[in-house]
């Protein structure tokens, strides 16, 4: 390379972090001669087998480039354009995908306000009606994020309650698992326990935010839902030609508990950060720190100064709420310095 | 990694080849601490500057994951759903993107038969009519591939003639440059000479087929066409979160003439292969070997046996025409053995 | 016809009413020899002129078949798929068009709860943000219904406030005027005063609910917004071949104040109905009866019995709120009998 | 009405003709009190029954406004966006619907040149391949027009051959019957014989071109294909609120052989016209006059003068081929005068 980049670690997003060395190394390991393009290669076969070892053989798994694509194409597979998808108003599919779910599925998003990013049967009941009425978008999917965009977690029972409600109404349960490793570690449960076994029908299984370079998976727990999905992926511009390089990342990520180490570390760092700032005057943590995100209200006038040192995002300007994310590569020293900087700003 | 993969080099597709070591190394070089996600990072800034050094400062460039996305989103940027796009019936956008152009743009593809994959004004004239007639999809784009899917090349003058015709009719010229490096080397011209300077309006600039891992660019030579393109890319599921890793590849690829070395090598290997098989009885090369692809008619009954040794694709079963592609990593020894195998099969 | 139909007048919907005799007669008057199809005929020219006499010469007007199409195509004309449209959660475009707005525009609907179906700047402010952020659907349109789906009216000043807010933010104001005649009569204002002059950019101008057989108009107050609209209409499956029959209806409807007679009558009948039921025990009128719709809470257990006599729709089951609509052909006798039936049921 | 329109009968299009008096009368007959909107009325029930009396009880029929909508929504019902639809390059869905089929279905149109507008198995074979290949739009529908846009007819056996070929390949046969009455009369066969009984799966059944004001039907011969079609129609902006007025037209049209009288007359007038001009020097009839359209080559320099008297369309400028359409209201006198005018022009 012809010049030096100066990077710093911060708390803006786990998407800002780099790639775990083991993942980088996996790329090099499969970089050898020729492999059939578009997923017809042995590395991809192996990566699919790894997913089957986790979720059971009766699944279908497809790799795509990014989390938004995993969500949008997964939803496309299970909706028609006259359907409606129920989600939290804070859901990634609602606020962070530039309308791609509507654009690509044609379906309507029905959103509900939640105190903590989590749907409940009670909250969504009002949208589950109008079946058979031709004027109304037909409710078909409940979409939840695990963990949520507010850093909170569904318990297994909470997932089951939504799955049952969905299925009783002829609907399906979709889970956005962009940070699913963080959820699994926090719940101390295997992936399968709070997805397939809890009634989830389609899962976006993320890797990029937890140490991979690129690559997400769409997992169908009912294979019939995936009958034609290969065309949907291709038409959705998500079929990688040199797919072995996504597959290799997933093999490395899911082997030797790499995913658990990285996610577990990020979760611990978030808890540590929460602990370190909890007693700073004017700082109020607003959501349960279940995984690797911290939501906090802080003095509005101090935000720019803190951002100058560590870039991060304001979440809700109206109440000067900010978001801090820990990553797989966050260090205790990062936390100490960040907390100290914040404390100093507050106490000035 | 937990097991060994056995790969072999073949002639099926340049997409089957691996990643050039310099590219792999570039990934490692930017794998350091945190960088802003979604392209707001210094690596991406640098990569964009490299494109501007090639094409001039008055362009807009956007990175996406794959060539189909570069084509589809580039076309989306310059069409409305009531437009028509004119292309060769052999164009990648017509036969290899599973209808994504129609699906994503809503526009109609108007195709023409060609002897060699190349459009001419005469061939497309019949589709350039009906302007202002509300019943007819309004012609808006001529889309060409450089090189074509048949391994042939447009001369600069041929590109200019199509660009002029397009512009005279209020239309735009789109170029699919999935293998644009192979074209530049073969033409012995800078990229700019046969794109921007020849009147191309929007270009898909490929890298994956020539030694990159993933990553293509969409280059707008008229910046106004790109005003809102960042939303189109995001909604088109092509905004990479950890974009620095695409950008780093492009920096390495476009530095020190790496692109020219790899493409030049592939082109030479194709010519060598053509030469080595030309005198084998029953083998007829059907297209000019302008870049790295060879199209040849061979005895139908020998195809399976040859495929057993080296996988490749039949192109036109009706006349037992096959396609052999050379890659950046094809060796002379590969060629010798392939030609010898074929010769032996024929002479048995 | 081969058999008799038994119809009854009720209060379910003004869409259930028939066609005014003057409109039927207009159909016969233009039923003479041949006229150019698809709107290139003298009747359509005349109908467009009538609209221009109402709104000024600097407009563009297009006829379509139904109100949903007027809304959806009008919105399509002024949005890109990465845009967002802000509307009341009770808006027809949100609840009664089976997701056609999302399906056809690709855009996102951002909905707000309102006490009375009316948007205000305060209510929608939270959705007007994120400009220039590529992850967010870009707010582009505020869409209001005049009158609203709850039978309420915006004052001219209220429309102006929303128009100004829209324009200050680079957005546009869309008005669903499916019952615009009822609004004009109730406001005692010419159409132009609360549409074009108040800052509306695109208007759905309805006729079917007020005595026409079929046919709605899309009026663009900024002609530039309509540059390519003829293709959008055609592609949107709304270009009538024998358009003279829509046009003739509009000419008759807008001549001799027919629209004002029919809408004025319907409004009066609604007020009369409200008056007749106001003192019935257990009946609470929940919305201001500004035009021809009455929303009322009534004893839930009496709804089926009343529906048996007069079909109508429950609006909000959770509070046994019902909707009664008066039509251009509702008679005072209908009202008397309906009120008496209801009174009798309640007092039994 | 406030002014007089001057109409003339010509030969431009059967869409330019007016409405048969019996149809107009039917509109008046159902214009009585209230009927449930959106098709839940007795008139629509009756109209559906009339279709079932023609095609059998095991069908589903839906009414829409226009022929393009019948085609597009019928195709939408039987395709996914990754499918391909095979049709003649002269098909209405390819050249006269402004890309609505692609826009609404997302699917690709694969077109073939034909000498006479008619598909054959041989002509389309080349497009029926690539099943299971994820890069290729999957062929799903063969769409034919009966009669064709060139005024020619498929025999029952020809329809059957295409249906069999479609079904053998897991595909469906769609028929655009915009002028189906003209076909039935010309074939001297009941509708059912060359549609359902010949293997057609979905039919666009036209009325507007043969004496109706507006209204077309989509007939599903396999009810399972129509399971969710009510939502597709609504979302496709084709659900008429006052549907009884479409239904009444169809009842009148299909009763007492009105359709056969009007179509038979138009067919006879076309044959008469062909006969009257056949011996005029310089006039060559280019297609078999199977129904109500005549295609003829005439001296290019005389076209404008003839158009001045009788507006009609040039079909293929490159060979000065024109199209003349007879309508249900064309008179023998119209023919005589037209032929005389043409003869005079030629002989001058």
């Amino acid at each position: 390379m012809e010049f030096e980049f100066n990077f710093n670690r911060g708390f803006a997003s786990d998407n800002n972090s780099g790639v775990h060395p083991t993942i980088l190394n996996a790329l090099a390991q499969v970089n050898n001669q020729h492999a059939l393009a578009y997923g017809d290669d042995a590395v991809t076969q192996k990566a699919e087998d790894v997913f089957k070892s986790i979720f059971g053989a009766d699944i279908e798994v497809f790799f795509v480039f990014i989390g938004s694509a995993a969500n949008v194409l997964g939803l496309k597979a299970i909706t028609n354009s006259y359907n409606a998808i129920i989600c939290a108003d804070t859901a990634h599919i609602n606020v962070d995908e530039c309308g791609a779910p509507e654009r690509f599925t044609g379906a309507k998003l029905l959103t509900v306000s939640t105190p903590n990013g989590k749907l409940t049967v009670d909250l969504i009941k009002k949208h589950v009606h109008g079946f058979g009425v031709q004027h109304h978008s037909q409710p078909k999917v409940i979409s939840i994020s695990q963990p949520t965009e507010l850093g909170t977690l569904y318990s297994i029972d909470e997932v089951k309650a939504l799955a049952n409600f969905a299925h009783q109404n002829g609907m399906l349960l979709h889970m956005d698992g962009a940070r699913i490793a963080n959820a699994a570690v926090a719940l101390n449960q295997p992936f399968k326990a709070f997805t397939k076994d809890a009634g989830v029908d389609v899962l976006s299984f993320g890797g990029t935010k937890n140490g991979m370079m690129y690559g997400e998976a769409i997992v169908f727990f009912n294979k019939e839902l995936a009958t034609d999905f290969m065309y949907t992926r291709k038409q959705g511009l998500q079929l990688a030609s040199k797919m072995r390089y996504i597959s290799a990342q997933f093999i490395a990520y899911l082997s030797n508990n790499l995913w658990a180490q990285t996610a577990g570390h990020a979760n611990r760092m978030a808890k540590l950060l929460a602990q370190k700032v909890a007693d700073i005057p004017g700082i109020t943590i607003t959501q349960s720190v279940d995984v690797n995100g911290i939501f906090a209200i802080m003095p509005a006038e101090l935000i720019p100064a803190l951002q100058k040192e560590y870039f991060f995002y304001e979440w809700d300007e109206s109440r000067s709420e900010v978001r801090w994310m820990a990553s797989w590569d966050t260090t205790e020293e990062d936390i100490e310095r960040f907390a100290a900087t914040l404390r100093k700003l507050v106490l000035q």
Side-chain angles (χ1 to χ4, degrees), chain A residues 9-14 16 269 273 310-313 323-327 330-331 334-336 338:
Chain A
R9 279 194 302 278
F11 299 90
S13 170
D14 33 9
N16 290 8
M269 290 301 102
L273 176 52
Y310 296 91
F311 184 66
F312 57 85
Y313 294 99
R323 186 188 77 161
W324 301 318
M325 298 298 295
S327 297
T330 302
T331 65
D334 293 338
I335 304 281
E336 297 290 354
F338 179 82

Side-chain angles (χ1 to χ4, degrees), chain A residues 75-215:
Chain A
L75 290 169
K76 169 72 178 166
I78 57 175
T79 52
N80 282 295
S81 60
Y82 53 79
N83 284 132
I85 298 161
I86 300 171
C87 63
D89 58 7
T90 50
H92 197 268
I93 60 170
N94 190 45
V95 294
D96 283 315
E97 300 181 355
C98 200
E102 287 95 336
R103 170 71 176 78
F104 205 81
T105 68
K108 176 183 283 297
L109 295 197
L110 295 171
T111 61
V112 296
S113 292
T114 69
N116 54 7
K118 290 166 62 178
L119 298 184
T120 64
V121 171
D122 267 359
L123 283 170
I124 66 176
K125 231 181 235 167
K126 67 171 174 180
H127 285 318
V128 181
H129 75 118
F131 293 108
V133 178
Q134 63 188 333
H135 308 283
H136 295 191
S137 293
Q138 298 291 298
K140 182 67 186 296
V141 178
I142 299 169
S143 179
I144 60 175
S145 303
Q146 173 78 320
T148 71
E149 287 74 15
L150 299 181
T152 55
L153 272 179
Y154 289 90
S155 70
I156 292 181
D157 282 347
E158 287 170 336
V159 175
K160 281 184 180 166
L162 287 164
N164 289 342
F165 182 67
H167 299 154
Q168 282 157 14
N169 285 284
M171 299 170 67
L172 297 168
L173 183 61
H174 171 263
M175 180 182 279
D176 176 353
R179 295 185 179 93
I180 193 170
N182 303 81
V185 169
L187 289 170
N188 195 23
Q189 290 285 343
F191 292 121
K192 188 160 167 276
F194 60 95
T195 58
K196 190 186 184 195
D197 292 351
V200 170
D201 296 289
V202 181
L203 169 68
S204 296
F205 188 104
T208 311
K209 286 174 159 63
N210 190 31
M212 282 176 53
M213 184 182 286
Y214 64 107

Side-chain angles (χ1 to χ4, degrees), chain A residues 129 239 268 320:
Chain A
H129 75 118
L239 180 62
R268 275 191 305 278
S320 69

Side-chain angles (χ1 to χ4, degrees), chain A residues 171-287:
Chain A
M171 299 170 67
L172 297 168
L173 183 61
H174 171 263
M175 180 182 279
D176 176 353
R179 295 185 179 93
I180 193 170
N182 303 81
V185 169
L187 289 170
N188 195 23
Q189 290 285 343
F191 292 121
K192 188 160 167 276
F194 60 95
T195 58
K196 190 186 184 195
D197 292 351
V200 170
D201 296 289
V202 181
L203 169 68
S204 296
F205 188 104
T208 311
K209 286 174 159 63
N210 190 31
M212 282 176 53
M213 184 182 286
Y214 64 107
E216 313 275 311
I218 304 168
V219 189
F220 292 92
F221 296 124
N222 176 343
K223 291 174 74 160
E224 285 179 20
L225 299 174
T227 312
D228 290 345
F229 190 72
M230 66 175 166
Y231 308 114
T232 297
R233 177 175 61 176
K234 171 73 188 183
Q235 203 179 44
L237 305 174
Q238 292 294 318
L239 180 62
S241 54
K242 297 183 172 178
M243 198 184 288
R244 57 173 144 163
Y245 298 97
I246 296 182
S247 305
Q249 291 182 68
F250 267 123
I251 296 171
Y253 179 70
L254 293 171
S255 301
N256 302 317
N257 278 327
L258 176 60
W259 64 270
Q261 293 168 39
T262 47
H265 178 79
N267 287 3
R268 275 191 305 278
M269 290 301 102
K271 282 210 194 309
L272 181 64
L273 176 52
Q275 199 181 308
K276 294 284 177 190
V277 302
D279 68 333
I280 300 177
I283 306 297
T284 309
I285 293 180
T286 54
Q287 295 288 347

Side-chain angles (χ1 to χ4, degrees), chain A residues 53-64:
Chain A
S53 72
I54 291 171
F55 290 112
D58 54 340
I59 63 158
E60 291 281 354
V61 59
F62 294 85
F63 303 131
V64 296

